[in-house]
Amino acid sequence: MLDILKAGVNYILDLGAAAMLPIILTVFGLVLGQKLSKSFRAGLTVGIGFTGLNLVIGLLSDSIGASSQAMIERLGLQLDILDVGWPIGAAITFATPIAVILIPVIFIFNMILLRFNLTKTMDVDLWNYWHLIFPGAMIYYATNSIWIAIICSLINTFVIFKLADWTAPAVEHFFGLPGISLPHGETVNFAPLTYALNRVWDKVPGINKIDINAKNLKERLGIFGEPMMIGLVLGVGMGLLAGYDSQAIIQLGVQTSAVMILMPRMVALLMEGLSPIAEGAKAFIQKRFPGKEVYIGLDAAVVTAHPAIITVALLMVPITILLAAILPFNRLLPFADLAVLPFTVIWSVAASKGNIFRGLLNSIVSVCIVFFIATNLGALTTTMAHAVGFAFPEGATMISGIDMSSHITLWIMLKLIDPSNLPAFMAGAIALVMYGALWFWTRNDIKKQYGLPTGKGDSDNTIKGAEMNE
């Protein structure tokens, strides 16, 4: 029975989001009472948008990956934990024995949370469930207990869904995606930190006066402030740092310029398909459950097209490599996941409402934390990879990745599950209190940024106007 379930899950996952989303959204549209033609067209448009977005991200990965490798070689970095990238992380996670159990369990758990008004996020992004399963898989290999792993995974999932609920107004008002939330732990768990940092920058003389965003860059720099020119300049700069010849520098500049233009257009196409589904879901919920709101949980890729995010991410490529070289505690050699920095910096930029300077400061702090987690959990990540039979690259003895090491909530839980290790337990307890305090401190900041009501309680999970759960 378990083998049949695993085969069915693997079939769906192997199809990929671009192929399965049209089917899922068509069925979803029919359930909402929409016509077959409208539902299918919307679903197919979303599939086409995802296909285009993945092609552009592939272009970004190829261009940044090669230039990053050249920069690393020029610096002569020799670190013993290799960044193998998120695709390897996903493959290892789905290969663990707990994955086939957690996929349906997390889906059912999501439905239960929705039913009892404990979240508003309905996560339809099954292919990125690995981000929710990864913490459970790591805890499974840390404890050798499937029950502890499942419980911790569900606790983590609940926290991520609540973070997605909390940040949904920013997704709507900053990114322009109403009715959407981003329930991905490797990105959204940085939101309490980055919103707290934004408060700190407000108090620092000098820094609190600097506001560099896509709009005023264009106003001040003219043609050189346009996204395509920013991409060109950043690409040429990375080519120079990589030691490329003139031809390769020009090619990299054009490629990064193309990414700046093509990514927003692919996301616009994707949203063209999502809009009727989101509107149908809103009408369906309001008719049957007056006052209740549900967000469609999607891949964080849908917001990476924002010009400020791409700009900060490209600037962070050489900065991340430099940080890897100078941070005394770091053992991670950044490589494959340098191309996913647009995901890593999402909430660094959103917290500052597109201020590129503050977004860069927030991202530097976030990446320092990523390096710490990667170094601290590198041995456990390697143990999990060995257990599922991952073939290590030649010369690599330990593996991790920027994406795999972006789970703050996982690190906290791993420290708390073993009270016998008092130093680790105390570190986890302190981190938990600090994380909770930062979240509580900034709980109304998103509402305030966009002029939304900040009621003191939403115990009945009812939305009044634009208000949402704290």
Side-chain angles (χ1 to χ4, degrees), residues 66-191:
S67 62
S68 299
Q69 179 64 20
M71 282 186 251
I72 289 169
E73 290 174 356
R74 291 190 80 191
L75 282 174
L77 290 186
Q78 299 291 331
L79 300 166
D80 63 343
I81 302 177
L82 178 64
D83 173 7
V84 294
W86 74 264
I88 299 299
I92 291 172
T93 301
F94 281 132
T96 60
I98 198 172
V100 70
I101 299 171
L102 281 177
I103 290 173
V105 167
I106 289 174
F107 180 81
I108 294 169
F109 184 59
N110 190 183
M111 297 303 105
I112 293 172
L113 292 177
L114 284 167
R115 171 63 182 83
F116 290 99
N117 298 326
L118 296 174
T119 186
K120 298 184 192 132
T121 291
M122 180 173 61
D123 192 357
V124 301
D125 186 23
L126 300 178
W127 302 269
N128 276 301
Y129 262 36
W130 84 267
H131 291 296
L132 299 174
I133 297 169
F134 178 73
M138 289 279 281
I139 289 171
Y140 172 72
Y141 285 101
T143 64
N144 202 30
S145 169
I146 195 168
W147 293 111
I148 293 177
I150 291 173
I151 291 170
C152 288
S153 182
L154 294 182
I155 291 172
N156 177 75
T157 297
F158 177 70
V159 172
I160 297 307
F161 284 164
K162 296 303 291 183
L163 284 167
D165 292 346
W166 173 55
T167 53
V171 177
E172 175 178 356
H173 295 281
F174 179 66
F175 293 113
L177 305 177
I180 303 299
S181 68
L182 309 176
H184 294 151
E186 84 288 2
T187 59
V188 76
N189 68 180
F190 278 105

Side-chain angles (χ1 to χ4, degrees), residues 311-385:
T311 301
V312 170
L314 291 176
L315 288 170
M316 280 301 298
V317 171
I319 292 174
T320 299
I321 294 171
L322 179 62
L323 288 172
I326 65 175
L327 289 175
F329 59 79
N330 177 58
R331 293 168 58 191
L332 178 70
L333 178 65
F335 177 51
D337 266 348
L338 286 168
V340 304
L341 285 173
F343 293 81
T344 309
V345 307
I346 286 172
W347 292 106
S348 293
V349 173
S352 65
K353 295 183 69 175
N355 186 329
I356 293 170
F357 178 74
R358 287 195 185 191
L360 200 59
L361 295 179
N362 294 341
S363 298
I364 290 171
V365 175
S366 299
V367 167
C368 288
I369 292 173
V370 169
F371 279 135
F372 171 77
I373 293 175
T375 301
N376 192 250
L377 302 185
L380 180 58
T381 308
T382 302
T383 297
M384 186 167 76

Side-chain angles (χ1 to χ4, degrees), residues 237-312:
M238 285 192 293
L240 290 170
L241 290 173
Y244 281 178
D245 60 30
S246 59
Q247 287 182 325
I249 289 173
I250 293 171
Q251 290 171 346
L252 182 58
V254 173
Q255 288 169 345
T256 52
S257 180
V259 168
M260 296 287 282
I261 295 299
L262 293 175
M263 281 188 75
R265 295 186 181 181
M266 292 303 102
V267 171
L269 182 62
L270 187 148
M271 289 313 302
E272 179 185 331
L274 277 176
S275 292
I277 298 294
E279 291 170 4
K282 184 177 181 180
F284 180 87
I285 294 297
Q286 288 181 346
K287 181 178 180 181
R288 289 160 179 77
F289 307 98
K292 185 175 179 179
E293 190 171 2
V294 172
Y295 302 123
I296 299 175
L298 289 180
D299 189 336
V302 300
V303 300
T304 56
H306 194 282
I309 286 179
I310 304 175
T311 301
V312 170

Side-chain angles (χ1 to χ4, degrees), residues 9 18 48 62 70 107 122 199 206 225 227 232 278 317 354 362 421 444 452:
V9 168
I48 293 169
D62 292 341
F107 180 81
M122 180 173 61
R199 281 200 177 195
L232 178 65
V317 171
N362 294 341
N421 186 345
N444 286 319
L452 305 176

